[in-house]
Amino acid sequence: MAIADNKSASDGKVWGLFKLPFRSSNSSASSSQYASQQQQYNTRADGSNANASNSSSSVSSVARSLLRTRRRLKLDPSNKLYFPYEPGKQVRSAIRIKNTSKSHVAFKFQTTAPKSCFMRPPGAILAPGESIIATVFKFVEQPENNEKPTDQRNRVKFKIMSLKVKEPMDYVPELFDEQKDQVAVEQILRVVFLDVERPSPALEKLKRQLAEAEAALEARKKPPEDTGPKIIGEGLVIDEWKERRERYLARQQVEGVDSL
């Protein structure tokens, strides 16, 4: 029995000696495997975070691009320019531009055909609530190879841009170059040709707007009324008191001659 017990004890020691190295090797292998898995997880997490940040930034940029800028101007017509269809002639259109914001706004006109189209005025600064009727000139080319008017109108595009300014100032086109980030595209205008031989509400409205634009242009050409003293000649100022004195002296001279 003692021999058997010693043998079993020795066997246990032998098995124990064999088991210990396997346990340590398994534990070290499992720890290294865990470390590698943890590193891979961290790498994946960092990559997912980077992808998430990139995706969020791209989504935010797309969202900003899709957000519609609040318009500062009201256009009439809102998205079209009506021209009488007269091939071989320079025709006119008109558009009313009104500042609907609470600050001064500069507007600028652009076209894809600057050689054959222009606006008068090409730009201006409008006070809050102020409006102006701009005239657009366009040369209508002769149709080629049975070309339709719809084919001609699709060649040219017009664009109205706006820029908020802090205070009243003189308009210069360089304002839009200096503050490109603040420039907003108000509208892309499409060309519509009207038959001059066929009366229509659009043609009648165009005639009225052109007449208003001409009247406003003539009013701007007139010099402002001078409410100050009258200036006759160079350096001679005659006011009401001096006019009365001169008339009085003239009457005195006439009465003196008559008495003599």
Side-chain angles (χ1 to χ4, degrees), residues 11 29 32 48 51 66 80 91-92 106-107 118 133 151 155 159 174 189 192 198-199 218-219 227-228 255 257:
D11 291 342
S32 61
S48 62
N51 294 331
L66 292 177
K80 299 176 183 178
V91 296
R92 296 180 301 164
F107 75 87
F118 65 94
I133 296 182
D151 298 332
R155 297 178 186 172
K159 181 168 62 175
E174 288 76 15
L189 303 173
V192 176
R198 184 177 299 176
E218 293 297 328
T227 58
E255 290 177 358
V257 172

Side-chain angles (χ1 to χ4, degrees), residues 93-218:
S93 181
I95 181 170
R96 182 184 294 274
I97 304 173
K98 182 179 181 180
N99 181 8
T100 57
S101 69
K102 297 181 180 180
S103 61
H104 286 73
V105 173
F107 75 87
K108 183 181 178 181
F109 170 80
Q110 281 189 345
T111 177
T112 56
K115 294 183 179 180
S116 61
C117 305
F118 65 94
M119 174 183 277
R120 187 179 64 191
I125 294 179
L126 301 177
E130 185 182 0
S131 63
I132 187 175
I133 296 182
T135 306
V136 185
F137 297 82
K138 173 178 170 54
F139 180 79
V140 182
E141 299 177 355
Q142 294 285 354
E144 299 178 358
N145 300 326
N146 297 325
E147 186 181 29
K148 298 180 180 179
T150 54
D151 298 332
Q152 279 195 27
R153 74 186 185 189
N154 292 332
R155 297 178 186 172
V156 183
K157 294 180 181 180
F158 300 89
K159 181 168 62 175
I160 301 290
M161 300 183 299
S162 68
L163 174 65
K164 181 180 177 181
V165 294
K166 296 182 180 180
E167 56 186 11
M169 62 180 65
D170 295 332
Y171 170 79
V172 288
E174 288 76 15
L175 287 173
F176 289 83
D177 298 331
E178 296 172 356
Q179 305 180 35
K180 292 182 179 180
D181 297 338
Q182 304 298 325
V183 175
V185 177
E186 292 288 335
Q187 188 60 267
I188 304 294
L189 303 173
R190 184 168 57 91
V191 175
V192 176
F193 287 119
L194 300 175
D195 189 354
V196 294
E197 298 179 355
R198 184 177 299 176
S200 64
L203 185 60
E204 295 299 324
K205 182 179 179 180
L206 175 60
K207 292 179 180 180
R208 291 195 304 269
Q209 286 188 329
L210 289 174
E212 293 180 14
E214 289 294 332
L217 180 62
E218 293 297 328

Side-chain angles (χ1 to χ4, degrees), residues 210-240:
L210 289 174
E212 293 180 14
E214 289 294 332
L217 180 62
E218 293 297 328
R220 288 195 297 269
K221 289 181 179 179
K222 291 182 179 180
E225 296 182 358
D226 189 4
T227 58
K230 298 179 182 179
I231 300 176
I232 302 176
E234 184 176 356
L236 181 60
V237 179
I238 301 176
D239 55 10
E240 186 178 358

